[in-house]
């Protein structure tokens, strides 16, 4: 078995106050120094015996998260409230409109002294065929690397998880902190939303999958059965089944209503790094450090297809079906994302320019549409045609945006200070979220957006 890839360092016991800073978009970004040194090995993970009750889950919520953001012209507004013994301070400053009709709005939000949101400036741009994403918000509060970020299917929420053992929920409407969910006993590698956006699943190094109720922040179910770290999870389109991939090399399918393991597939000969359902839930795809991508029939458990890049056979770090269900997007540790026609078993396009040799770097499809019901990654158009992008992280601390058809890098998003591990897209590609080893989640908004979000 190949050696496991470097993992985000575990959090230090002492909580540190996050630094809140402002980064106006009209300034050139500061020079960056990628930090690619090997992180120290994590301490031994706490383990629970099979069938033992998990730790009590807790949640802290910001009561003002659903409030509309305050607006003013050339003035400063402030609101203070008491939440769970802590103060919630919201400060918003809006200068008068700049020449040409654009406005600059810089402010910071400090929640309970732990979660901080830095708000940058969005200057509208004339519409063009290329994306013009600009850094709009920086979410701070995690105390270790942020391993995964996901928009909810209804576009209202953002979930982030971290090696600090917590999940944080943020409003994707007001871009404010909502709550922190605690219950795992080791770092969390993946989160995924149920189709109704009311339930969240998380997979952890503590070898468990936990289901959470968004409204209360309480644990609904705990799924046990994997024998090693759980690295990837995916809800089926109907929300009744969950797929999980683990370092124990097994792919499991779960009934989320009862917590029963429906099927265990000895899918790979190395750790499984990614799983994802197709649009109708009849197939699930898995990928592994063994260099293979496999597609499975969810009813019979039969392996329908095995894909492998003959020349490289590099470890595969993540895989997902396109929104139209016709293609697969996979990332590999030879610094490439590949688009596959899985029916023909053919690699159609290879996207290059980023750096990925050590960590599991994830990507997503973005279909730029005006359909508000498109959900994450756009609608059924999938790939190809005008406005289709591939977005992925990189070990050089940038986020890369490729044109699906031409394979050209159409934009590089600069803002993170360390490896970018995860990306997610909301509703037709107008808003992106990225996360990484700098312990932050960053929100990017296309400056061509008209009529608000």
């Amino acid at each position: 078995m190949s050696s496991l890839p470097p993992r985000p360092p575990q959090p230090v016991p002492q909580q540190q106050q996050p630094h809140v800073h402002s980064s106006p978009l009209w300034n050139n970004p500061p020079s960056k120094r990628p930090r690619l040194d090997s992180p120290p090995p994590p301490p031994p993970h706490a383990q629970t015996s099979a069938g033992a009750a998990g730790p009590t889950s807790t949640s802290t919520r910001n009561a003002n998260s659903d409030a509309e953001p305050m607006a003013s012209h050339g003035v400063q507004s402030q609101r203070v409230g008491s939440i769970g013994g802590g103060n919630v301070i919201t400060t918003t400053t809006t200068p008068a409109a700049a020449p040409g009709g654009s406005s600059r709005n810089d402010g910071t939000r400090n929640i309970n002294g732990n979660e901080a949101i830095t708000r940058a400036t969005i200057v509208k741009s004339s519409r063009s065929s290329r994306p013009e994403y600009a850094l709009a918000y920086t979410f701070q509060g995690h105390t270790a690397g942020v391993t995964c970020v996901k928009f909810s299917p209804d576009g209202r929420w953002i979930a982030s998880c971290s090696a600090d053992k917590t999940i944080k929920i943020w409003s994707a409407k007001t871009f404010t902190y909502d709550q922190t969910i605690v219950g795992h006993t080791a770092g969390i590698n993946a989160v995924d939303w149920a189709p109704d956006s009311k339930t969240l699943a998380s997979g952890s190094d503590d070898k468990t999958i936990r289901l959470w109720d968004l409204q209360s922040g309480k644990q609904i179910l705990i799924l046990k059965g994997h024998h090693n770290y759980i690295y990837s999870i995916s809800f089926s389109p109907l929300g009744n089944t969950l797929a999980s991939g683990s370092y124990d090399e097994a792919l499991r399918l779960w009934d989320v209503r009862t917590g029963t393991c429906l099927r265990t597939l000895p899918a790979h000969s190395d750790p499984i790094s990614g799983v994802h359902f197709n649009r109708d839930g009849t197939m699930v795809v898995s990928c592994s450090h063994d260099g293979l991508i496999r597609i499975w029939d969810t009813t019979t458990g039969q392996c329908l297809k095995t894909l492998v890049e003959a020349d490289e056979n590099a470890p595969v770090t993540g895989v997902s079906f396109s929104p139209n269900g016709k293609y697969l997007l996979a990332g590999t540790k030879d610094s490439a994302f590949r688009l596959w026609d899985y029916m023909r078993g053919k690699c159609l396009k290879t996207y290059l320019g980023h750096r990925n040799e050590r960590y599991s770097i994830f990507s997503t499809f973005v279909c730029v549409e005006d359909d508000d019901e498109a959900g994450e990654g756009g609608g059924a158009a999938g790939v190809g045609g005008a406005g289709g992008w591939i977005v992925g992280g990189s070990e050089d601390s940038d986020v890369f945006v490729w044109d699906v058809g031409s394979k050209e890098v159409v934009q590089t998003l600069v803002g993170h200070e360390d490896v970018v591990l995860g990306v997610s897209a909301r509703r037709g590609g107008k808003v992106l979220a990225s996360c990484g080893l700098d312990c932050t989640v960053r929100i990017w908004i296309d400056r061509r957006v008209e009529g608000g979000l």
Side-chain angles (χ1 to χ4, degrees):
M1 181 184 298
S2 62
S3 59
L4 301 182
R7 306 180 61 78
Q10 293 294 314
V12 294
Q14 184 176 2
Q15 188 108 352
Q16 298 181 358
Q17 184 77 10
H19 175 64
V20 180
H21 64 281
S22 178
S23 53
L25 296 177
W26 56 86
N27 290 340
N28 291 326
S31 60
K32 303 178 286 77
R33 182 176 61 191
R35 299 194 296 273
L36 299 177
D37 295 335
S38 300
H45 299 281
Q47 301 182 9
T48 57
S49 58
T56 302
S57 60
T58 61
S59 169
T60 60
R61 180 180 287 271
N62 173 16
N64 295 323
S65 63
D66 290 329
E68 292 298 322
M70 295 178 290
S72 60
H73 298 280
V75 299
Q76 187 179 69
S77 302
Q78 196 172 65
R79 177 175 57 197
V80 180
S82 178
I83 302 275
N87 288 329
V88 177
I89 304 175
T90 302
T91 303
T92 304
T93 304
T94 307
S102 62
S103 62
R104 295 177 176 180
N105 185 350
D106 296 330
T108 61
R109 299 178 185 273
N110 192 352
I111 311 298
N112 290 342
N114 292 322
E115 287 73 27
I117 299 177
T118 300
R119 183 175 183 179
T121 302
I122 291 293
V123 180
K124 282 190 177 180
S125 171
S126 60
R127 194 132 182 113
S128 68
S129 60
R130 287 172 173 253
E132 296 183 19
Y133 293 109
L135 179 62
Y137 298 90
T138 297
F139 297 165
Q140 296 173 307
H142 285 293
T143 58
V146 184
T147 52
C148 183
V149 62
K150 288 282 182 72
F151 280 97
S152 61
D154 63 8
R156 295 181 57 200
W157 306 101
I158 302 169
S160 60
C161 65
S162 169
D164 66 9
K165 311 175 190 177
T166 70
I167 302 166
K168 292 187 183 292
I169 307 298
W170 316 82
S171 170
K173 294 296 187 180
T174 61
F175 300 105
T176 54
Y177 164 76
D178 181 69
Q179 62 176 310
T180 297
I181 298 174
V182 178
H184 281 290
T185 59
I188 306 171
N189 297 311
V191 289
D192 197 33
W193 292 92
D196 63 4
S197 300
K198 297 178 180 179
T199 303
L200 186 70
S202 56
S204 168
D205 283 357
D206 65 12
K207 308 175 188 177
T208 69
I209 301 165
R210 297 171 193 251
L211 303 183
W212 311 90
D213 175 69
L214 176 65
Q215 182 64 31
S216 65
K218 300 297 184 181
Q219 181 176 292
I220 302 172
L221 273 177
I222 180 169
L223 311 179
K224 296 184 179 182
H226 280 294
H227 306 296
N228 209 329
Y229 308 142
I230 297 167
Y231 202 75
S232 181
I233 54 177
S234 176
F235 269 105
S236 67
L238 294 179
N240 58 345
T241 306
L242 186 79
S244 61
S246 168
Y247 274 57
D248 63 11
E249 306 170 7
L251 167 65
R252 287 178 179 256
L253 300 179
W254 306 82
D255 185 331
V256 300
R257 294 164 297 188
T258 64
T260 304
C261 181
L262 301 174
R263 191 177 298 275
T264 301
L265 303 174
H268 294 273
S269 59
D270 270 328
I272 295 179
S273 49
V275 294
H276 191 239
F277 279 97
N278 69 335
R279 61 184 300 187
D280 63 8
T282 59
M283 295 185 293
V284 63
V285 63
S286 63
C287 67
S288 168
H289 299 153
D290 62 11
L292 304 180
I293 301 170
R294 285 185 165 147
I295 301 172
W296 308 84
D297 185 299
T298 55
T299 301
T300 65
Q302 178 184 359
C303 181
L304 303 176
K305 182 81 71 171
T306 297
L307 307 176
V308 60
E309 182 65 30
D311 296 335
E312 299 293 338
N313 197 28
V316 187
T317 61
V319 66
S320 60
F321 282 98
S322 63
N324 64 9
K326 296 180 179 180
Y327 306 95
L328 290 174
L329 180 63
T332 50
K333 284 191 178 179
D334 56 355
S335 299
F337 292 113
R338 290 182 172 86
L339 184 69
W340 290 84
D341 181 336
Y342 62 86
M343 294 298 293
R344 293 191 292 163
K346 181 179 180 181
C347 177
L348 301 178
K349 298 180 185 296
T350 302
Y351 304 94
L352 305 172
H354 67 299
R355 182 177 177 184
N356 184 12
E357 299 170 350
R358 294 162 45 81
Y359 294 88
S360 289
I361 305 294
F362 298 102
S363 59
T364 189
F365 290 97
V366 177
C367 300
V368 181
E369 300 175 352
D370 294 327
D371 182 5
D372 283 343
E373 300 302 322
E376 171 154 351
V383 297
W389 320 118
I390 300 294
V391 179
S394 178
E395 290 172 359
D396 60 11
S397 76
D398 294 338
V399 178
F400 283 74
V401 184
W402 291 267
D403 182 275
V404 172
S406 70
K407 304 181 292 184
E408 177 189 4
V409 177
V410 293
Q411 193 175 7
T412 303
L413 310 182
V414 179
H416 281 281
E417 299 176 356
D418 209 329
V419 177
V420 180
L421 296 173
V423 291
S424 184
R426 191 193 85 175
R427 290 184 185 271
K430 297 175 182 178
V431 185
L432 303 179
S434 58
C435 65
L437 295 186
D438 62 1
C439 307
T440 69
V441 173
R442 298 182 189 251
I443 305 300
W444 313 82
I445 298 177
D446 194 331
R447 293 188 292 184
R448 303 172 301 162
V449 171
E450 298 176 358
L453 298 175

